[in-house]
Structure formats: C-alpha cells, structure tokens
Amino acid sequence: METKFKYLDIAAGEAILQWINKEQDLIQKLKSSETMTLDDLKKWLGYWMLARGNPVNQRDDLLKSINEFLRPAILSVSDDVLPKEIYSMAKQLKRLGGTKSIQTSLVSKFAFCMRPELIVPIDQRARKGLALMYGKRIDTHNYESYFESFLLFKKETSAEMQRSNLLNDLKPYWKKHMSEDLFLSRTADKFLMLEGGFNVKSMEKNVKEHFGKDWIGKFQQ
C-alpha cells in the first residue's frame, strides 16, 4: 500500500495548486455567465490541452453548440443520470457540427467545469492509470465505466489519506478553496495522471516551487 501511494503527496499538492491557479477561475467564469465567448473558449481549450483537436476555423461552430446544446444539457440532467449521458452528449455535439469527431474527453471536461463536485474529467493518461491499477482496459468513450472505476479508486486514495493523516495535515492548504470531496477527487485525478505516464519530476518541481522544497515527504513520515 505504501508503494502504491508513494506519490500521493505530490498529487495532492498539484490538485490544490491547479485548482487555486487555474481551475477555480475558469470554472467560476464559465458558471457566472450564461454564454461562453470565443476568448473564453480559447483559454479553456488551452488549459485542457484540447486546442489541437479543435482548430480555430471550427471554433465558431463549437462555441455555438456548447452554448445552445451542451451547457444547458449538462445543467438540466440529474446527478445520477449525468455520468451515463456524457458519451451521448459527445455524439450529439458531433451531429450538431460542433466537433469533427466524437470528443468524450472534451464533454467530460466541460461537464466537470459546470458541475465539479460530481463529474471528473477523462483523458488518456487517467484511463491508462486506472487500467494499471485494476488491470481493466477502459475504452476511450466509455465514460460510465471510467466514472465507476474512478469512484472506486477515489475511495481507496481517500482511505489512505485518512490512514496516513495526509487529509488532515493538508487541510490548511485546501480548506479555504475546496470542499473535502472535491479535494479528494482532484487528488485522485492527479495521481492517476502520474500512474498513466505524466512526468513525476515535472509535477514534483511544480509543487515544490509553489509550496516549498520540504513539501515532498513532509506529511508522510
């Protein structure tokens, strides 16, 4: 268990850092306005590394589909139904001409921004991380299966954070900005990124530059 969660303090630090520096502002801006602007879309695609798959000449159509279909659809669906509808929404976004291909990852990320306490983003690294954890390959578009597996992994990481007292030790860092459940979700997500191949040294460097060089290992003695 200790080996499995070796990088949990790095993932937790990155979760807090990304929420404070980027995600929180992006989400607040999107949720405070009834419509997304082209400038908002550009920044949003850039943060989530979706710009290449959604080139400039297609963004007017994407923006229209997000404002007229995707946003209201995400906000209108109940908590128990939304995870099951992510792939269907991605297919509909393509039918409307918003995207040239089915982009389940994009829809999951936008749904996360609209409802961050419920939805978690899906991407290649996170799927690979879950596959390595549970020996079960998850298809690119099978968000429902990913969501179920993620909740199981989140439960395990949450238990470890309780056992090691990491959750309580880091409370002064996340409490002002995030709910406990959101913090646990974002930490599990960042940990899966590491498991799926994200550069550990890069994430560690990022965390140390913000929180100090003694962050790593400080809370897991």
Side-chain angles (χ1 to χ4, degrees), residues 131-185:
L132 290 170
M133 285 288 174
Y134 300 123
K136 172 184 164 184
R137 182 181 178 276
I138 299 174
D139 182 77
T140 304
H141 301 296
N142 193 347
Y143 183 81
E144 188 176 358
S145 179
Y146 176 82
F147 185 75
E148 291 173 356
S149 295
F150 180 89
L151 291 183
L152 176 60
F153 179 69
K154 176 185 170 184
K155 184 177 180 180
E156 290 186 21
T157 56
S158 299
E160 174 61 15
M161 291 182 80
Q162 291 277 9
R163 185 202 66 77
S164 65
N165 210 41
L166 187 60
L167 179 63
N168 189 58
D169 287 343
L170 294 181
K171 196 170 185 178
Y173 297 92
W174 59 261
K175 180 66 173 177
K176 294 179 181 178
H177 309 282
M178 315 163 74
S179 70
E180 180 177 311
D181 193 61
L182 180 60
F183 168 61
L184 293 170
S185 288

Side-chain angles (χ1 to χ4, degrees), residues 6-24:
K6 180 179 179 181
Y7 301 118
L8 196 52
D9 50 359
I10 300 176
E14 182 74 358
I16 298 167
L17 181 56
Q18 289 300 321
W19 180 260
I20 293 172
N21 286 351
K22 297 286 185 179
E23 294 173 358
Q24 182 175 227

